[in-house]
Amino acid sequence: MWRRHLDEFAVVTLVFLVISAVMSLVGAHSARALLVKDSAVTGMFGLLCLATLLAPRPLMFYFGRKFATDGTEASTVWWNDLWQYEGFRRTMMTMTAVWGVAYLLEAGVRAALAYVLSTDTMVVLSPVLIYGVLGALALWTGWYAKRSQRKGEELAAAAATAQ
């Protein structure tokens, strides 16, 4: 608030913390229900990712800006200006789609396992699945971003040579 700037990452985090807290307070209080509740939260994040594919800019554009810039006006302008390049737009859309599908799958698998496996097993397995998917997505995102940046630089060099 003191910077007078909306931080999209903070807003999404706050919304999901509130949703999670409300679901914990209002929902059923069995161990299995709490395990499924966690799946609902990650599933909603997956749906949010996919829904933003219909927005002017997808969610990963804003998350990328949060982590790829230092927050200064100059770096934010630089990031925003990248949107003019088709390859950058495609990269952000692909990342958002992959994160959305991955979290929907993770939520479905974890919810199904909550009914198949014992709650003792799921209490151990659930965080492994949550953080395992997050880690895999972070690694994939880093790899894909570097690959996309390299392709963009190659295209820019080829265009500069052709002129």
Side-chain angles (χ1 to χ4, degrees):
M1 286 174 39
W2 57 68
R3 291 184 186 175
R4 300 183 195 279
H5 173 72
L6 180 67
D7 183 338
E8 296 87 357
F9 182 76
V11 169
V12 169
T13 302
L14 179 63
V15 166
F16 279 94
L17 285 172
V18 169
I19 290 170
S20 184
V22 168
M23 289 177 71
S24 294
L25 293 172
V26 184
H29 295 286
S30 72
R32 191 172 315 278
L34 291 174
L35 289 167
V36 172
K37 180 247 344 157
D38 289 341
S39 299
V41 172
T42 57
M44 284 190 291
F45 180 74
L47 286 174
L48 176 64
C49 285
L50 296 177
T52 65
L53 293 172
L54 303 173
R57 294 184 182 178
L59 189 59
M60 289 303 143
F61 170 84
Y62 299 104
F63 281 18
R65 185 172 67 193
K66 175 75 174 172
F67 294 109
T69 69
D70 60 8
T72 62
E73 185 176 338
S75 66
T76 301
V77 167
W78 165 77
W79 183 263
N80 290 343
D81 285 348
L82 292 173
W83 192 253
Q84 68 183 305
Y85 300 107
E86 190 274 329
F88 180 79
R89 292 191 306 269
R90 184 177 53 247
T91 297
M92 292 296 109
M93 300 290 273
T94 299
M95 285 180 179
T96 303
V98 167
W99 277 70
V101 169
Y103 269 110
L104 281 177
L105 290 172
E106 180 271 343
V109 166
R110 205 155 37 95
L113 289 175
Y115 288 101
V116 175
L117 301 175
S118 70
T119 54
D120 290 342
T121 301
M122 279 307 296
V123 165
V124 173
L125 186 59
S126 186
V128 171
L129 289 171
I130 291 171
Y131 294 116
V133 168
L134 177 60
L137 284 169
L139 289 171
W140 175 83
T141 300
W143 169 82
Y144 185 71
K146 286 179 184 175
R147 176 181 168 265
S148 297
Q149 181 179 8
R150 189 173 54 250
K151 280 184 165 185
E153 290 168 351
E154 289 169 0
L155 287 171
T161 305
Q163 291 179 0

